[in-house]
Amino acid sequence: MLNILNLRNNKETDNPAITVFMAAYNSGRFIKASIQSVIAQGFDDFELLIINDGSTDDTLAIIEKFDDPRIRVLNNNTNKGLTYTRNRGWQEAKGKYLAILDSDDIALPDRLHVQYTFMETNPDVAICGGQAIIVDENDREIGMYPVPINNEYLKEQTIFRNVFVNPSCIIRIDIIRKLGGYFDYAPAEDFELSLRILMTYRGANLGVPLIKYREHMGNASIRSGKVIEQEKRIISNIHKNLGVPITDRLVKIHHAIFLWRTEECSLYDIRELFLSLILTNRKRNIYDHSYLEALIFDRWMMLLRNHKKLISALPLYFDKILFQWRFFSWRDFRKMTKSSIKGVVTGKKV
């Protein structure tokens, strides 16, 4: 029987099963723990490829203190950014798989073992992620970063969310190569690539935690401006692929739903977007009709129940396209009726 925990006695190999890729820029505070979490893996048929992206702190000095033949370090002569560095990473990788780990995150001890086993036994899966434990800058566990595990319909779910925690992902390098690697969507280049992968290939999320995902000021600040701009570009691509008219207004509405900021939109605006997604998909057959329409139905019901300006949701509830009896629930209907009555009493309007 193959012992996947120790596939090779010689760790210095030109053909490791996995390249663990770590992009590092001014990561001195956390990178030591990240590297330690990789070299402590029970599965040892890997290389750890670290690309130092022009750091100006002690990142490189910390990396160089490690004496492990599985660690390979490359340096960008200046700070090139995430897209360039990630593309250099998969191009330089020697493994069959690329396992991503950010330089401030922690791989749990069985991560590589679990993902390698899954990918080898599921050759039709191109990308695989998992659950993540959220920790703060002091290593305190503060929650979970859940991801969907209904793997049959991951592609449909990307319409309203990023279905992967990127530093938990392992990807077949030949698939990255076929798709041309990362495009210029930093700092959302990982989301854009995973979306392209799922448009052609199968993906999966495992139901177990694989990493500790660190939240701190360094990564939280990225959400301002750049991420929002790139997420809207990605949503525009979704609309283009489906044949939805690309307008700033529809993209803005879609992005508000993506972030659960629906108070920024009217119910009629959201209805217009949902109808566009359903009707264009019925023509183009990009996504599974039944699952997509059930997904939209559930979102629509939730929005109707919780919208702060609701006076009477019943006419919207029974919209001739959004409402479908196959998704109907008397329980939801009772909640809707209760919300409508409350809206009448309080005098709130849609």
Side-chain angles (χ1 to χ4, degrees):
M1 181 178 177
L2 180 65
N3 181 356
I4 63 171
L5 295 181
N6 293 285
L7 292 179
R8 289 180 173 84
N9 292 322
N10 178 14
K11 297 176 183 177
E12 294 182 275
T13 176
D14 288 333
N15 300 109
I18 298 173
T19 293
V20 180
F21 172 64
M22 186 180 294
Y25 175 68
N26 288 350
S27 307
R29 183 175 178 185
F30 301 114
I31 195 169
K32 179 179 178 180
S34 297
I35 294 173
Q36 288 173 332
S37 75
V38 176
I39 62 179
Q41 294 286 305
F43 180 100
D44 71 352
D45 187 15
F46 69 86
E47 66 165 345
L48 171 56
L49 174 61
I50 305 172
I51 297 185
N52 174 39
D53 188 24
S55 295
T56 57
D57 66 353
D58 58 350
T59 294
L60 185 58
I62 293 171
I63 296 170
E64 290 175 341
K65 290 180 181 178
F66 286 89
D67 183 19
D68 189 306
R70 296 169 297 182
I71 298 176
R72 185 158 58 102
V73 184
L74 300 175
N75 289 286
N76 293 337
N77 54 10
T78 60
N79 179 236
K80 301 286 190 179
L82 274 172
T83 302
Y84 176 93
T85 303
R86 291 197 190 282
N87 278 326
R88 188 181 182 194
W90 69 261
Q91 291 165 358
E92 295 278 359
K94 297 177 180 178
K96 176 180 179 181
Y97 303 106
L98 190 76
I100 301 162
L101 186 70
D102 290 343
S103 56
D104 52 0
D105 297 327
I106 303 294
L108 295 181
D110 290 333
R111 177 199 169 169
L112 296 185
H113 174 195
V114 170
Q115 286 187 297
Y116 179 80
T117 303
F118 181 84
M119 296 298 280
E120 287 290 290
T121 54
N122 293 274
D124 59 333
V125 171
I127 180 171
C128 170
Q131 314 299 308
I133 300 168
I134 303 173
V135 297
D136 66 14
E137 54 191 23
N138 297 311
D139 294 319
R140 290 185 297 240
E141 295 184 9
I142 56 177
M144 290 291 296
Y145 198 133
V147 291
I149 55 175
N150 186 353
N151 293 326
E152 185 178 357
Y153 298 109
L154 283 185
K155 180 174 76 171
E156 285 70 24
Q157 293 175 78
T158 58
I159 289 181
F160 294 123
R161 65 175 296 181
N162 185 349
V163 298
F164 296 111
V165 180
N166 183 60
S168 78
C169 286
I170 189 168
I171 312 173
R172 296 183 191 274
I173 289 181
D174 63 333
I175 299 299
I176 301 177
R177 185 176 297 112
K178 286 178 182 178
L179 295 179
Y182 294 89
F183 293 171
D184 190 16
Y185 284 81
E189 76 294 330
D190 49 349
F191 175 37
E192 194 277 335
L193 175 61
S194 68
L195 194 148
R196 274 188 289 127
I197 291 173
L198 291 176
M199 293 304 294
T200 306
Y201 304 96
R202 281 194 63 214
N205 273 317
L206 305 180
V208 296
L210 299 176
I211 66 166
K212 291 184 177 181
Y213 176 85
R214 193 179 304 278
E215 286 193 348
H216 56 91
M217 290 303 297
N219 59 20
S221 63
I222 294 176
R223 170 140 296 281
S224 62
K226 287 186 178 180
V227 166
I228 292 174
E229 176 186 344
Q230 302 301 355
E231 285 172 346
K232 287 182 176 179
R233 285 182 64 201
I234 292 167
I235 288 170
S236 293
N237 292 343
I238 293 172
H239 288 191
K240 181 179 180 181
N241 197 36
L242 263 174
V244 172
I246 301 175
T247 67
D248 290 341
R249 189 174 68 86
L250 282 182
V251 169
K252 183 179 179 180
I253 295 166
H254 196 152
H255 189 250
I257 296 170
F258 193 89
L259 298 181
W260 289 101
R261 294 178 180 171
T262 51
E263 68 278 1
E264 300 174 4
C265 311
S266 76
L267 288 174
Y268 294 105
D269 284 340
I270 296 170
R271 175 182 177 273
E272 179 184 352
L273 172 68
F274 283 171
L275 290 177
S276 295
L277 294 173
I278 289 173
L279 295 175
T280 54
N281 187 59
R282 287 179 181 178
K283 293 178 181 178
R284 301 288 297 274
N285 297 310
I286 304 297
Y287 303 98
D288 179 273
H289 291 186
S290 182
Y291 189 85
L292 175 62
E293 293 179 23
L295 190 66
I296 290 175
F297 180 88
D298 287 343
R299 290 276 178 134
W300 183 233
M301 294 302 102
M302 189 179 302
L303 289 168
L304 291 179
R305 286 198 305 269
N306 299 325
H307 203 282
K308 295 179 180 179
K309 299 179 181 179
L310 187 62
I311 181 171
S312 176
L314 291 178
L316 292 171
Y317 185 95
F318 289 107
D319 183 276
K320 63 181 181 180
I321 294 178
L322 295 181
F323 178 84
Q324 298 185 43
W325 282 105
R326 56 183 169 156
F327 307 135
F328 176 77
S329 162
W330 279 109
R331 181 181 178 185
D332 287 340
F333 182 75
R334 286 193 294 270
K335 289 181 180 178
M336 183 63 56
T337 305
K338 185 177 180 180
S339 295
S340 296
I341 294 171
K342 183 178 180 181
V344 171
V345 173
T346 58
K348 293 181 181 179
K349 299 180 180 180
V350 174

